[in-house]
Amino acid sequence: MGALPINIAGELNPQSNRTRTVVLVGRTGNGKSAVANSILGKKVFKSVAKASGVTQSCQMQQTQLKDGHVINVIDTPGLFDISAGSAFISKEIVKCFNLAKDGIHAFLLVLTVRNRFSEEEESAVQSIKELFGSKIIDHMIVVFTGGDVLENDDLTLDDYLEDCPRPLQEILTLTKNRTVLFNNITKDERKRAEQVQKLMSLVNMVVAQNGGKPYTNELSYELKRVASKKQMQAEYDAKLKKITVEMEAKINELNSRLEQQLAVEQAARRRAEEEALSTHRRSAEEIAKLRESLERAQQKIQAPPRRSGGCAIM
Ligand SMILES: Nc1nc2c(ncn2[C@@H]2O[C@H](COP(=O)(O)OP(=O)(O)OP(=O)(O)O)[C@@H](O)[C@H]2O)c(=O)[nH]1
């Protein structure tokens, strides 16, 4: 492996300053591969409806856009799905950083308007933040797929995001509303190009806001350091393995913390639901009692006057 074309400050070398590398992250089935294909303008990544994950490993593809920018697109499997094991995640994260030799300019968090924003989605974002550090947020753009669904309902992305759940609102605030909507099934080439153009202007904005520097973290420095030392293959492999194992331990620790947090939240929600149910039951009982006494009162009023000694009591 050769030296990476970024200097120690993480800045791009002049020859690569028209290259942008983006990584698609998000839950399985949200449409990462479909977005990657829309960016590339061709069906390169497999994108199909399947209950289990389709993308099995990080892969990178490149294209040159009309404006001269070269874009590297890295598609990832559902790295932060609850079912993904830590050994798999760590291996894939190391692979992803190894693929992104120019550094990563933007992380595209892929969400879909076709499903509700779930708790799992929220904890996936938390995992990303904790594993890569909150600096990653400065490089994050939220891509919503399912533009066609909103179009069919005559809705804009802003309409959809009105009154969105608080955790999603927080992500949008953190990422300074860098959002873009993709209709990945459109056959209209102009529309596809427009979507990519909007995304690229957000990517360029992120690059500018980060002083032209791609995202780097301890892991990318470590990988760069290991790669730059022209070591023997066996030594290099051993170092890479060590990095992967360390990453796995970090993921295990994070997962057990997130599981605990989720359990606490679920217990609190269950308690609140039970309380609401018992309040509802109590008020239903009170209403039934009230109704009963009302009926009794009405029966008394409607009852024929009692007679005494043949004479009506007036
Ligand atoms: N209607 C509609 N369907 C979409 C859109 N984008 C993606 N899909 C569908 O969503 C399903 C999942 O898309 P993928 O691209 O495979 O999702 P993924 O996140 O890459 O999934 P994995 O590769 O399994 O991690 C496919 O059936 C896509 O056709 C969109 O904009 N509109």
Side-chain angles (χ1 to χ4, degrees):
M1 182 185 282
L4 302 175
I6 39 179
N7 62 30
I8 201 69
E11 287 157 349
L12 282 167
N13 283 342
Q15 72 266 27
S16 53
N17 67 3
R18 292 190 72 73
T19 302
R20 303 281 182 254
T21 300
V22 299
V23 175
L24 293 137
V25 291
R27 295 192 62 216
T28 293
N30 277 2
K32 296 181 292 297
S33 305
V35 171
N37 290 338
S38 289
I39 298 172
L40 296 165
K42 50 189 179 231
K43 242 186 155 171
V44 179
F45 295 108
K46 204 163 158 191
S47 167
V48 287
K50 255 189 101 177
S52 59
V54 176
T55 308
Q56 298 297 334
S57 186
C58 291
Q59 291 172 48
M60 186 167 84
Q61 292 287 338
Q62 190 179 69
T63 194
Q64 179 151 27
L65 300 175
K66 283 205 179 91
D67 65 3
H69 278 109
V70 170
I71 179 155
N72 294 317
V73 183
I74 300 181
D75 191 14
T76 65
L79 291 181
F80 304 99
D81 291 358
I82 288 198
S83 56
S86 56
F88 168 75
I89 302 173
S90 58
K91 194 167 93 346
E92 288 302 318
I93 289 176
V94 170
K95 182 172 177 195
C96 174
F97 277 91
N98 251 335
L99 283 171
K101 295 196 187 340
D102 285 346
I104 297 168
H105 298 94
F107 288 83
L108 310 184
L109 174 67
V110 180
L111 302 177
T112 174
V113 303
R114 294 176 303 140
N115 294 330
R116 291 244 160 81
F117 187 81
S118 63
E119 241 168 36
E120 285 82 22
E121 212 96 59
E122 190 187 343
S123 66
V125 175
Q126 198 174 336
S127 301
I128 295 172
K129 247 169 51 188
E130 294 216 15
L131 272 181
F132 298 114
S134 46
K135 219 167 46 138
I136 197 170
I137 298 292
D138 298 336
H139 293 265
M140 198 172 268
I141 294 167
V142 186
V143 179
F144 288 91
T145 66
D148 49 304
V149 177
L150 292 191
E151 281 159 32
N152 288 343
D153 291 341
D154 263 338
L155 291 173
T156 63
L157 183 60
D158 285 343
D159 295 332
Y160 171 78
L161 293 174
E162 225 172 70
D163 303 324
C164 67
R166 195 181 46 82
L168 176 56
Q169 191 53 57
E170 280 169 8
I171 294 169
L172 299 179
T173 307
L174 282 173
T175 53
K176 301 200 167 70
N177 287 309
R178 290 186 294 267
T179 54
V180 57
L181 179 65
F182 265 69
N183 168 351
N184 292 307
I185 61 163
T186 185
K187 299 270 182 284
D188 181 348
E189 175 51 31
R190 221 182 49 202
K191 186 176 182 66
R192 184 199 67 82
E194 264 172 30
Q195 296 175 159
V196 177
Q197 195 46 52
K198 167 136 200 236
L199 172 68
M200 283 313 289
S201 38
L202 288 174
V203 172
N204 289 332
M205 187 168 106
V206 161
V207 171
Q209 282 172 350
N210 287 286
K213 293 178 192 166
Y215 168 83
T216 42
N217 65 0
E218 276 169 39
L219 174 64
S220 37
Y221 280 126
E222 187 61 11
L223 287 171
K224 196 160 55 147
R225 203 177 58 75
V226 172
S228 64
K229 287 189 178 167
K230 300 244 178 296
Q231 292 152 324
M232 303 291 290
Q233 187 64 39
E235 210 179 318
Y236 172 75
D237 288 347
K239 285 253 165 69
L240 214 58
K241 190 157 180 224
K242 184 170 170 279
I243 294 173
T244 312
V245 168
E246 280 167 8
M247 167 78 77
E248 190 181 334
K250 209 166 157 186
I251 294 167
N252 276 334
E253 189 266 326
L254 171 66
N255 280 353
S256 61
R257 206 149 29 86
L258 283 178
E259 266 166 29
Q260 272 173 16
Q261 189 181 319
L262 207 64
V264 169
E265 281 169 12
Q266 275 169 351
R269 198 167 326 111
R270 254 199 315 276
R271 263 199 312 277
E273 277 167 10
E274 277 164 14
E275 253 167 50
L277 199 68
S278 88
T279 311
H280 176 76
R281 227 179 262 135
R282 268 202 309 275
S283 49
E285 278 167 15
E286 269 160 31
I287 289 171
K289 272 188 205 149
L290 274 174
R291 191 171 291 139
E292 250 173 52
S293 51
L294 195 67
E295 273 169 13
R296 270 201 305 274
Q298 268 172 345
Q299 278 164 5
K300 258 191 202 160
I301 294 167
Q302 285 163 1
R306 268 197 282 145
R307 290 172 183 276
S308 151
C311 296
I313 299 169
M314 301 304 278

